[in-house]
Amino acid sequence: MSIPAFSDVAKASNDLLNKDFYHLNAATIEVKSTTANGVAFKVNGKSTHESNTSGTLEAKYTDKPSGLTFTQSWNTANALESKLELSDNIAQGLKAEILGSFLPSSQAKGAKVNLHFKQPNFHARAFFDLLKGPTANLDAVIGHDGFLAGAEAGYDVQKAAITRYSAAIGYAAPQYTAAITAGSNLSVFSASYYHKVNSQVEAGAKAVWDSKSGSNVGLEVASKYRLDPVSFAKAKINDRGVAAVAYNVLLRPGVTLGLGASFDTQKLDQATHKIGASFTFEA
């Protein structure tokens, strides 16, 4: 089994709890297309429940023989971002990323270098922000027979100080995963679980405890049910009584519709509920 990155040790449960719930925005649209020469275009836009709108135009070119990928994006905040990726060019299993950003309105610039190194039982990453700090964020995960252990640390070069650190352990099997993480300088602890019950049903839960804010533990549970080969439904609820439901269906090849809603079960008589819709077009 492939060793995940540190941020993905609990990916299965996090995706079940957070992905494909469409109530967070009032409306979302995404359009994807790929040209004959391998250039992929993606346009996405969203409207929030506060009536704010935003969007991004992205173009990506991939040259598979050389392992080179170039991505350029431009968003409605007038921010330009570029990314150059080199996979397996320097060494087998090593991917290097060079990222640049520019905001014309304020002349703000950004420059980052990321390194990803992956081997059968090891996955390490390094993120360097060259203009802010500079700072470095490093993480690594080792694995054996499904067992995972990882750690993360941040370092500010100018201050010569460690700015953050986290740790995680987990276990991954084909049908289920479990993970315990300690983030925010080992002050926020979370335990998560994911189970693929069968080809139609998935279930998961996550508990979070912040040692600095009190003794209360936050709990969230979710489930996914595949209705048929082209549609599925999801539902979740947390310890505060906020529930969310979602429905996703492939209307036709390349066209996907997502509908979602959230309800505060303790305030059903108040206007705290949210409804959202998502459209994805792909060619």
Side-chain angles (χ1 to χ4, degrees):
M1 182 175 290
S2 177
I3 304 300
F6 180 81
S7 59
D8 293 335
V9 170
K11 185 180 188 322
S13 59
N14 287 336
D15 283 353
L16 183 64
L17 289 162
N18 301 311
K19 194 176 179 180
D20 297 323
F21 284 100
Y22 308 104
H23 63 277
L24 298 178
N25 294 298
T28 303
I29 186 170
E30 185 173 76
V31 180
K32 304 176 184 179
S33 64
T34 303
T35 64
N37 63 350
V39 179
F41 291 94
K42 181 170 70 173
V43 181
N44 62 60
K46 66 180 180 180
S47 175
T48 68
H49 294 285
E50 292 75 29
S51 299
N52 298 320
T53 58
S54 61
T56 302
L57 170 63
E58 178 184 285
K60 178 186 287 189
Y61 173 73
T62 302
D63 183 33
K64 293 183 178 179
S66 66
L68 183 146
T69 301
F70 179 73
T71 306
Q72 179 68 54
S73 66
W74 186 25
N75 62 32
T76 50
N78 199 23
L80 297 167
E81 296 184 349
S82 303
K83 180 167 71 171
L84 178 66
E85 302 172 58
L86 297 170
S87 298
D88 299 324
N89 292 76
I90 304 172
Q92 189 65 32
L94 177 65
K95 182 173 78 170
E97 298 175 343
I98 302 172
L99 300 91
S101 62
F102 178 62
L103 191 62
S105 60
S106 63
Q107 299 297 304
K109 302 178 181 68
K112 299 179 180 180
V113 174
N114 301 335
L115 299 174
H116 305 251
F117 184 60
K118 192 172 183 180
Q119 294 296 307
N121 295 311
F122 181 72
H123 194 158
R125 304 183 302 175
F127 305 93
F128 303 96
D129 193 322
L130 305 180
L131 301 183
K132 294 182 180 179
T135 62
N137 290 291
L138 312 173
D139 64 51
V141 177
I142 58 174
H144 181 68
D145 289 340
F147 290 96
L148 304 169
E152 173 192 46
Y155 184 76
D156 190 309
V157 176
Q158 189 172 24
K159 297 178 181 178
I162 295 175
T163 57
R164 52 184 280 191
Y165 48 90
S166 306
I169 58 173
Y171 181 77
Q175 301 299 323
Y176 65 92
T177 63
I180 298 175
T181 61
S184 300
N185 301 339
L186 306 184
S187 65
V188 178
F189 301 88
S190 67
S192 59
Y193 176 73
Y194 166 85
H195 184 199
K196 187 176 180 62
V197 181
N198 53 46
S199 60
Q200 291 181 291
V201 180
E202 301 172 37
K206 184 176 184 178
V208 180
W209 175 57
D210 189 339
S211 62
K212 293 183 177 180
S213 66
S215 59
N216 293 333
V217 176
L219 179 65
E220 191 171 25
V221 296
S223 182
K224 176 180 177 180
Y225 181 70
R226 182 158 291 282
L227 303 169
D228 53 54
V230 298
S231 66
F232 63 82
K234 297 183 70 174
K236 67 176 180 177
I237 189 168
N238 61 28
D239 61 291
R240 300 183 304 276
V242 179
V245 294
Y247 174 71
N248 177 290
V249 60
L250 181 66
L251 299 176
R252 53 176 295 180
V255 182
T256 303
L257 168 66
L259 301 172
S262 70
F263 311 91
D264 191 331
T265 59
Q266 299 182 20
K267 301 177 182 178
L268 292 175
D269 59 335
Q270 299 181 23
T272 59
H273 319 306
K274 297 179 180 180
I275 297 176
S278 170
F279 295 92
T280 301
F281 302 89
E282 188 169 0

